[in-house]
Amino acid sequence: GAMASTLVLLLPLLFPGLFLPLSDAFPSVFSEWNAPKPRHSRLLKSALQHQTSDVQKDDLWKQLPSQNWKSCIHFSYKSSALPDKSQGYIQVFLDGGLNQQRMGICDAVAVAKLLNATLVIPYLEVNSVWQDTSSFGDIFDVDHFINVLKDDVSIVKELPTEYFWSTREYYATAIRANRVKAAPVHASANWYLENVLPVIQSYGVAAIAPFSHRLAFDNMPSDIQRLRCKVNFQALVFVPLVRSLGDALVNRLRSPPDAATELREVSLINENAGSGKFVVLHLRFDKDMAAHSACDFGGGKAEKLALAKYRQTIWQGRVLNSQFTDEELRSQGRCPLTPEEIGLLLAALGFDNTTRLYLASHKVYGGEARISTLRSLFPLMEDKKSLTTEEELSRIKGKASLLAAVDYYVSMQSDIFISASPGNMHNALVGHRTLENKKTIRPNMPLLGQLFLNKSLTWSEFRDSVFVGHKSRQGQLRFRKPQQSLYTYPAPDCMCS
């Protein structure tokens, strides 16, 4: 029976031709079984053979020089005194993943400050993709959050009993006069004063839902901008579970590979940090990302059908990228890098098979088959599963927000951080690491798209183009432009020369 079951599982791999009709009929199943062939085999072959000189390694791992700009949240932030009496209470309901919720929390504190209102610890909606039911207190240290902001904003863990009726279920079942649904994206401070303050004054509590990207980044008082940074970079601290597990992972990454395996069985408390260097790669290549981009990732007809079907089911034809050809999307830098492509980028930058690489990622579309080329380039690649014991992993398994929080924590401790594609996690870490002047490599997506389209490119030509194209993209300070996020570009609002 066991042999028969094994044979059934191996049939699609041993005789793929027999299953082509089925793969057309059920593309979402069979596309993720098929291991895609390397799309850049010539570059990959050269990359596997290359070695980085000691001089290049020293330059690669060298810390960023001082850029004469530092966080001024600590010594320059001056908050106006809390009023004797609050106007009332504000509830916010936050959707999205961890980093989108994080930005919403910062904005909620700012809105409460603008309105002289008391903020109720934000409610985190169950994410429709990850199905995570984690609450604010499961992820962030609530007492630390309240204590750090006690002189700035009044914050409570729960509403007083007189407002017991103001719950998520209450607002989900009917239209309620005290629920604010019409908050525009990037609303001004005046919009909240004119539209939300009267609701608070009338009902004692205003519930704002949805509350994602609902506060503008421009034309805000400087003290409100500094407060948003104070929340993001000081008040939002992960719970001890995340911090202790993150410290253990960092310790194992800084230790020699053999020692790291032994350290998995050592108590977290007794571990001493090693001195080795490591880079964190945020591999943003899940099925949502792949489908929404409308790009071709080399998985053949079955994969194209699967992603098109998924795209239609989730977004009902609202993905504008699908109007362009794959070549057009790539040349514009609008295709997420595959594990193979990000591996080639890392190799061209000077990382090699001796590099300790930590993979920060949720489920990768295509699984291990898709990652195999990246692993061949970086055999010392690790992730949460490979670095933890079963007991450690069980504490956060199945909880997408806690898994992401551990990755965020480890990413902040790394010597170098790089994300395969822009997104909320990339943006959050770019801003946080900018504040601490840490090296963060930003892939030049249009350049890479054009390089990967050129099939005649030699390894030396590819490497030289990558090196030149990323020389000024390794954490150098960039000032926020109008409409850009304060959390990605904290200078000059929250940094001082």
Side-chain angles (χ1 to χ4, degrees):
M3 290 180 65
S5 300
T6 303
L7 182 61
V8 168
L9 291 172
L10 290 176
L11 278 174
L13 301 176
L14 297 174
F15 306 103
L18 296 175
F19 289 83
L20 285 177
L22 282 174
S23 67
D24 289 346
F26 304 101
S28 62
V29 175
F30 283 83
S31 70
E32 296 183 52
W33 278 22
N34 299 330
K37 296 179 181 178
R39 306 190 75 190
H40 313 287
S41 53
R42 291 174 68 252
L43 293 177
L44 182 61
K45 183 179 179 180
S46 299
L48 286 167
Q49 296 171 352
H50 99 288
Q51 288 292 328
T52 307
S53 70
D54 290 340
V55 174
Q56 288 174 310
K57 286 181 181 179
D58 288 343
D59 186 59
L60 180 65
W61 292 102
K62 188 166 53 180
Q63 291 184 349
L64 278 177
S66 172
Q67 300 183 69
N68 298 319
W69 281 76
K70 294 183 179 181
S71 167
C72 53
I73 303 168
H74 301 275
F75 57 85
S76 295
Y77 179 78
K78 292 182 180 179
S79 174
S80 55
L82 282 175
D84 294 333
K85 185 178 179 182
S86 168
Q87 295 280 0
Y89 295 91
I90 284 181
Q91 282 179 297
V92 294
F93 298 85
L94 306 176
D95 54 12
L98 172 71
N99 293 293
Q100 190 171 335
Q101 290 171 339
R102 186 185 185 108
M103 290 182 276
I105 293 165
C106 299
D107 288 347
V109 172
V111 169
K113 180 69 175 178
L114 284 166
L115 303 182
N116 274 340
T118 298
L119 177 68
V120 183
I121 289 293
Y123 179 90
L124 308 186
E125 300 275 18
V126 177
N127 188 285
S128 59
V129 176
W130 311 125
Q131 294 298 311
D132 190 347
T133 58
S134 298
S135 68
F136 185 105
D138 292 329
I139 305 167
F140 301 107
D141 187 325
V142 176
D143 291 332
H144 176 86
F145 179 75
I146 294 174
N147 185 58
V148 168
L149 299 171
K150 68 181 186 297
D151 296 327
D152 306 302
V153 179
S154 174
I155 302 174
V156 295
K157 295 179 182 179
E158 296 178 348
L159 281 168
T161 54
E162 64 198 90
Y163 299 108
F164 72 92
W165 46 267
S166 185
T167 64
R168 179 70 184 85
E169 292 69 30
Y170 175 76
Y171 298 111
T173 53
I175 296 173
R176 310 295 183 183
N178 70 310
R179 178 184 173 184
V180 179
K181 292 181 65 177
V185 174
H186 297 158
S188 67
N190 282 338
W191 188 92
Y192 283 94
L193 290 166
E194 294 169 3
N195 294 277
V196 180
L197 186 56
V199 175
I200 297 174
Q201 292 169 336
S202 297
Y203 298 94
V205 56
I208 311 177
F211 191 75
S212 177
H213 308 294
R214 302 293 160 171
L215 184 63
F217 290 112
D218 300 325
N219 303 315
M220 285 288 161
S222 59
D223 65 323
I224 293 297
Q225 297 290 66
R226 296 266 176 87
L227 176 60
R228 293 164 94 174
C229 287
K230 184 176 181 179
V231 180
N232 194 32
F233 303 124
Q234 288 184 26
L236 285 176
V237 170
F238 294 123
V239 291
L241 168 63
V242 170
R243 301 200 305 270
S244 62
L245 184 54
D247 285 335
L249 297 184
V250 170
N251 173 264
R252 292 162 195 173
L253 286 163
R254 294 204 182 282
S255 302
D258 293 340
T261 303
E262 296 175 9
L263 282 172
R264 287 177 57 187
E265 307 303 328
V266 178
S267 167
L268 304 187
I269 300 173
N270 295 327
E271 293 183 4
N272 297 312
S275 57
K277 297 184 183 298
F278 71 97
V279 58
V280 168
L281 166 62
H282 179 228
L283 185 57
R284 190 168 180 245
F285 198 77
D286 54 50
K287 193 170 186 176
D288 260 34
M289 183 74 174
H292 196 272
S293 69
C295 301
D296 177 15
F297 299 107
K301 184 178 179 182
E303 182 177 88
K304 288 181 181 178
L305 288 170
L307 293 179
K309 184 177 179 180
Y310 184 83
R311 189 161 51 242
Q312 185 61 34
T313 302
I314 301 298
W315 295 290
Q316 290 84 41
R318 297 194 299 272
V319 179
L320 299 179
N321 287 354
S322 58
Q323 301 173 4
F324 299 92
T325 65
D326 183 68
E327 288 75 15
E328 289 171 332
L329 291 171
R330 289 191 178 280
S331 63
Q332 296 167 16
R334 296 167 71 178
C335 291
L337 298 177
T338 65
E340 176 192 1
E341 290 168 343
I342 192 69
L344 290 171
L345 167 62
L346 289 169
L349 289 170
F351 299 101
D352 60 21
N353 57 12
T354 66
T355 298
R356 294 282 277 169
L357 178 67
Y358 177 81
L359 196 61
S361 179
H362 198 66
K363 186 178 180 181
V364 175
Y365 179 60
E368 186 60 34
R370 182 78 71 174
I371 302 175
S372 59
T373 50
L374 177 64
R375 196 178 297 282
S376 67
L377 285 166
F378 301 100
L380 300 182
M381 185 170 72
E382 305 279 5
D383 56 24
K384 290 181 289 293
K385 189 174 181 180
S386 68
L387 283 173
T388 54
T389 64
E390 288 186 16
E391 181 185 353
E392 288 170 344
L393 193 60
S394 68
R395 300 174 196 170
I396 59 173
K397 192 173 182 180
K399 300 174 182 177
S401 293
L402 287 178
L403 291 165
V406 170
D407 282 341
Y408 189 104
Y409 186 88
V410 174
S411 298
M412 279 304 300
Q413 311 303 316
S414 67
D415 299 279
I416 301 173
F417 173 81
I418 182 169
S419 183
S421 301
N424 288 326
M425 176 114 168
H426 165 90
N427 294 339
L429 280 161
V430 164
H432 206 157
R433 290 176 67 89
T434 293
L435 201 81
E436 298 188 10
N437 199 45
K438 293 184 175 181
K439 185 172 281 192
T440 307
I441 299 174
R442 296 181 299 111
N444 188 331
M445 301 297 284
L447 170 67
L448 292 168
Q450 293 163 22
L451 292 178
F452 286 128
L453 282 171
N454 186 350
K455 301 301 180 183
S456 63
L457 211 60
T458 66
W459 172 250
S460 60
E461 291 170 334
F462 176 79
R463 185 187 56 202
D464 291 346
S465 296
V466 164
F467 182 80
V468 172
H470 290 82
K471 204 167 186 180
S472 61
R473 302 176 67 88
Q474 302 196 24
Q476 290 84 352
L477 192 68
R478 293 181 298 157
F479 295 102
R480 189 177 71 84
K481 298 176 181 177
Q483 299 183 11
Q484 285 185 332
S485 170
L486 177 76
Y487 309 121
T488 307
Y489 305 98
D493 303 80
C494 303
M495 298 181 72
C496 302
S497 173

